[in-house]
Amino acid sequence: QRRVHGDILSVYFFSLQALTQRQVQQQIMSAQYQYDLLSCFGDCPQCLLSFYVPCVPWGRNYAAVKGQPDEWVVPCAGFCLLSSLTGLGAVAAQTYLRGEVRKLKGIEGDLVKDLLVACCCTPCSIQQDARELGAVGCNAPPQSGKMME
């Protein structure tokens, strides 16, 4: 009889643990961006940087996603090269990076939404990702995973 009670308790705790893990996973994947797409106007210097020199914040975002916040110069140059070769290069690069940011932060969305946002407002999209990653700041490389105020 003790074995039966022990087995029942084991099954109960195992199912409770599985349920809790599922709930946590669903809650994580239902996360939204902390900042609205058009909230970039609240930080004018960063907004201007994203509009006029988007390769810099994009390079910082890429480096932050890859976990190498000091290595942003090469991705920055790559973004410039892609942008200069074709107008769609920047859109493709931002669509890819936006998907990576969503995966890293557990934000729901899909490729189509990422593509539409990158097409319609690439600078705002870059800035939203930068703010989400904490990769903002004109003079310093980003701090991966930390929000800088």
Side-chain angles (χ1 to χ4, degrees):
Q1 189 175 19
R2 280 188 175 184
R3 181 162 166 75
V4 171
H5 289 295
D7 289 342
I8 291 172
L9 285 176
S10 295
V11 168
Y12 173 74
F13 286 120
F14 178 74
S15 63
L16 183 62
Q17 182 182 10
L19 178 63
T20 303
Q21 288 174 344
R22 250 182 291 158
Q23 287 173 338
V24 167
Q25 190 175 30
Q26 286 173 348
Q27 187 175 12
I28 289 172
M29 288 310 291
S30 67
Q32 301 291 324
Y33 276 92
Q34 293 177 3
Y35 302 96
D36 290 333
L37 184 63
L38 299 178
S39 71
C40 64
F41 296 111
D43 184 355
C44 284
Q46 292 302 315
C47 181
L48 292 173
L49 189 66
S50 293
F51 271 89
Y52 293 109
V53 193
C55 59
V56 173
W58 190 91
R60 289 180 176 174
N61 291 349
Y62 183 88
V65 165
K66 298 302 179 187
Q68 301 171 332
D70 296 332
E71 304 293 325
W72 63 273
V73 175
V74 173
C76 174
F79 185 86
C80 285
L81 182 65
L82 278 173
S83 297
S84 64
L85 291 176
T86 173
L88 295 178
V91 171
Q94 179 55 18
T95 300
Y96 164 76
L97 188 57
R98 193 164 176 85
E100 294 297 307
V101 170
R102 282 190 306 95
K103 279 188 233 175
L104 181 69
K105 295 293 187 171
I107 298 170
E108 63 184 24
D110 57 38
L111 179 65
V112 173
K113 288 179 185 175
D114 294 342
L115 179 63
L116 289 173
V117 169
C119 276
C120 294
C121 196
T122 302
C124 289
S125 173
I126 290 171
Q127 186 59 25
Q128 184 183 34
D129 289 344
R131 293 180 82 186
E132 190 69 33
L133 293 166
V136 295
C138 291
N139 299 324
Q143 300 288 322
S144 181
K146 295 179 183 174
M147 292 301 293
M148 295 173 59
E149 299 284 327

